[in-house]
Amino acid sequence: MAYHHQLNAVPTIPSVPEAPTGFVADALARPLQELRISLTDRCNFRCVYCMPEEVFGNDHVFLPQTSLLSFEEITRIARIFVAHGAQEIRLTGGEPLLRKHIENLIGMLAQLKTPDGRDIELTLTTNGALLAKKAQSLKDAGLNRVTVSLDSLDDATFKRMNGVGFPVSDVLHGLEAAHAAGLGPIKVNMVVKGGMNDREIVPMARHFKGSPFILRFIEYMDVGVSNNWKMDEVIPSSEVVRRIAAHMPLEAIKSNHKGETAARWRYQDGSGEIGVISSVTQAFCHDCTRARISTVGVLYTCLFATSGHDLRALMRSGKMDQQISAAIAHLWRSRADRYSELRSAKTMDANQAAKKIEMSYIGG
Ligand code: SAM
């Protein structure tokens, strides 16, 4: 699998140094508020819509350890993003819990403070396979919250979707352990792929209704190229809400904050809420305040990017924090990405489509 490193540019260092002010907005007036960091390109699942076995089989060559950002490099970059206004850091991958000694990194990141002295929000997205074992040590290290991916409660469907025959019960144990450790509020993300797990929408809603977990349904997206995405496999969020509401009446509620990816719906009987993330049918690029750092330290300003900016090269060539900080501010100011709002299956240029970066590399 090629990762298109050749398309990544080493950022130019602006000649006039500038100190971060805690706020930087892009070309469409979107502030930089969240940083997602991919800790590894490896995963212990082979989800059919993300890292299918046919593409990521036994002969797949993963990145060598030396090319990954070290914990010191990750913390250095994160500190600069926080100085520019990032208040939340989300660790992802691949499967972030496969990164050795992740607790040490969490301990380092948990020390970061916003320019006005507040703690940052430190979160992690996981498939839950190792959560039962690790929840308490993650919490003790300073992690605030986890989001757990779970696509079905039906064992046969889940095993087929995760590609490695992993049982549902182990993820449910992981969820309980995370709740007991205080890693909440915990969100559970279900990617809905038409014809594969859409029968599970109502059972999943019923299972998590009234529980401490907030279930969110994600539209199947055209990230990367390995999943062979087709628009007719996307179940629109409006349909998800319609199907659940037919059994358990729902009403729309206000978002928690501007830029929230999920639209919120609450059960009319007061037993909790669900979220729907309509990345395809109702794109939310206009509110996107997220920057992404890949496993090898490339900055992507959009999940659907075809090229990025090599921050690792800046660090490993001895640039100073001030220089890297100025380069990041400059890149963010010129950001104008809004891939999802412009998406059209018919008009997407085939060359562009072929170059999209895989989710497991850029981080979900
Ligand atoms: N391994 C971790 C996990 O499973 O949560 C973190 C990385 S994973 C790439 C992050 C999230 O992206 C998961 O919730 C996964 O279901 C979602 N995802 C991956 N490919 C997707 C796609 N094509 N469309 C929508 N969501 C996708």
Side-chain angles (χ1 to χ4, degrees):
M1 166 71 43
Y3 285 124
H4 311 294
H5 292 152
Q6 71 277 14
L7 298 174
N8 298 325
V10 178
T12 319
I13 307 283
S15 49
V16 186
E18 59 166 284
T21 62
F23 180 84
V24 57
D26 73 7
L28 303 175
R30 298 168 296 189
L32 172 53
Q33 288 180 332
E34 187 191 333
L35 180 64
R36 296 199 176 184
I37 306 171
S38 174
L39 297 187
T40 173
D41 59 331
R42 290 165 199 264
C43 191
N44 41 2
F45 283 11
R46 286 292 175 275
C47 296
V48 288
Y49 53 78
C50 187
M51 292 180 75
E53 178 68 30
E54 312 83 78
V55 181
F56 295 86
N58 285 339
D59 55 348
H60 178 76
V61 181
F62 288 97
L63 293 165
Q65 184 69 28
T66 50
S67 69
L68 310 191
L69 290 189
S70 67
F71 289 173
E72 287 71 23
E73 287 171 326
I74 292 173
T75 308
R76 184 176 174 202
I77 286 291
R79 182 177 294 114
I80 295 173
F81 274 87
V82 169
H84 280 303
Q87 298 149 20
E88 178 180 338
I89 294 181
R90 177 170 295 277
L91 304 177
T92 175
E95 173 48 45
L97 296 186
L98 290 182
R99 183 81 188 246
K100 285 205 183 75
H101 310 301
I102 185 176
E103 293 84 355
N104 295 348
L105 173 66
I106 290 172
M108 290 159 78
L109 294 173
Q111 308 291 318
L112 297 178
K113 299 275 181 216
T114 64
D116 56 0
R118 282 175 298 125
D119 289 337
I120 56 152
E121 182 79 353
L122 192 52
T123 64
L124 176 141
T125 305
T126 174
N127 59 28
L130 297 170
L131 201 49
K133 206 160 69 188
K134 283 188 163 271
Q136 192 58 54
S137 62
L138 296 171
K139 177 69 184 179
D140 294 344
L143 189 71
N144 298 116
R145 287 191 288 117
V146 289
T147 296
V148 178
S149 307
L150 177 63
D151 296 329
S152 175
L153 288 168
D154 173 66
D155 223 28
T157 308
F158 184 58
K159 286 178 170 170
R160 196 162 52 244
M161 281 188 86
N162 66 47
V164 294
F166 197 84
V168 175
S169 55
D170 288 16
V171 180
L172 296 178
H173 288 141
L175 272 172
E176 291 304 331
H179 177 59
L183 286 168
I186 298 172
K187 291 168 184 155
V188 176
N189 281 348
M190 170 181 177
V191 175
V192 183
K193 187 170 180 211
M196 184 147 267
N197 65 338
D198 57 310
R199 274 170 305 145
E200 285 289 293
I201 293 170
V202 175
M204 284 278 286
R206 200 167 269 132
H207 180 87
F208 288 106
K209 183 173 184 280
S211 80
F213 309 108
I214 301 171
L215 178 61
R216 305 189 313 171
F217 299 87
I218 306 183
E219 286 179 352
Y220 172 43
M221 290 185 281
D222 51 333
V223 201
V225 290
S226 312
N227 59 13
N228 198 17
W229 180 87
K230 294 182 203 67
M231 183 68 198
D232 58 13
E233 290 170 339
V234 177
I235 305 285
S237 294
S238 53
E239 172 64 11
V240 170
V241 170
R242 194 193 64 72
R243 288 196 203 176
I244 297 171
H247 302 268
M248 297 165 274
L250 288 166
E251 61 196 15
I253 49 175
K254 278 211 311 227
S255 60
N256 288 310
H257 56 85
K258 194 169 151 51
E260 190 172 33
T261 48
R264 300 170 64 208
W265 293 79
R266 116 176 121 202
Y267 292 109
Q268 284 182 15
D269 67 5
S271 59
E273 65 178 84
I274 59 157
V276 289
I277 303 182
S278 317
S279 348
V280 178
T281 61
Q282 278 179 290
F284 37 80
C285 307
H286 52 280
D287 274 342
C288 179
T289 55
R290 281 175 287 285
R292 294 183 148 83
I293 304 283
S294 77
T295 316
V296 297
V298 174
L299 165 66
Y300 293 99
T301 54
C302 177
L303 180 56
F304 300 93
T306 52
S307 65
H309 313 277
D310 191 350
L311 301 181
R312 188 188 63 179
L314 295 185
M315 288 191 284
R316 294 193 181 174
S317 64
K319 296 288 181 291
M320 294 185 313
D321 279 6
Q322 247 191 356
Q323 295 174 300
I324 300 173
S325 166
I328 291 171
H330 176 73
L331 287 170
W332 192 263
R333 285 196 191 104
S334 33
R335 173 187 191 243
D337 310 78
R338 50 191 204 100
Y339 172 90
S340 294
E341 286 177 353
L342 303 174
R343 172 197 289 115
S344 147
K346 285 202 191 80
T347 59
M348 199 197 301
D349 173 276
N351 277 327
Q352 282 291 101
K355 290 180 201 149
K356 278 188 298 170
I357 317 292
E358 296 299 324
M359 182 89 128
S360 52
Y361 176 73
I362 196 171

